[in-house]
Amino acid sequence: LWRYVDYWQGRGNTTNLMPYEIYGNGTIKDGNTASDGDQDIITGLIEAHRRWGSSGAINYAAEANTMLAGFWTYNVQQ
């Protein structure tokens, strides 16, 4: 799943987050983000880091931090 997210995140927007809607043919219908989906992805990355660590092919902690920074910047009103 991470490879899919890694491919699509930031496409159609400049947030480093997932586009809201992607058609099956690869066309991005809506480049805005969906905060609930981004929260699920970030939580999954944190859990992956807790279970498997981040020294393998995917640095789960770094990816979670990158997405979390984008999430706070673009999805949380301060």
Side-chain angles (χ1 to χ4, degrees), residues 36-67:
D36 57 335
D38 294 321
Q39 288 173 358
D40 291 341
I41 295 166
I42 293 165
T43 302
L45 288 167
I46 292 168
E47 183 60 27
H49 170 73
R50 288 179 51 184
R51 285 184 182 228
W52 303 302
S54 291
S55 60
I58 300 169
N59 186 332
Y60 298 111
E63 298 293 356
N65 285 329
T66 298
M67 286 194 73

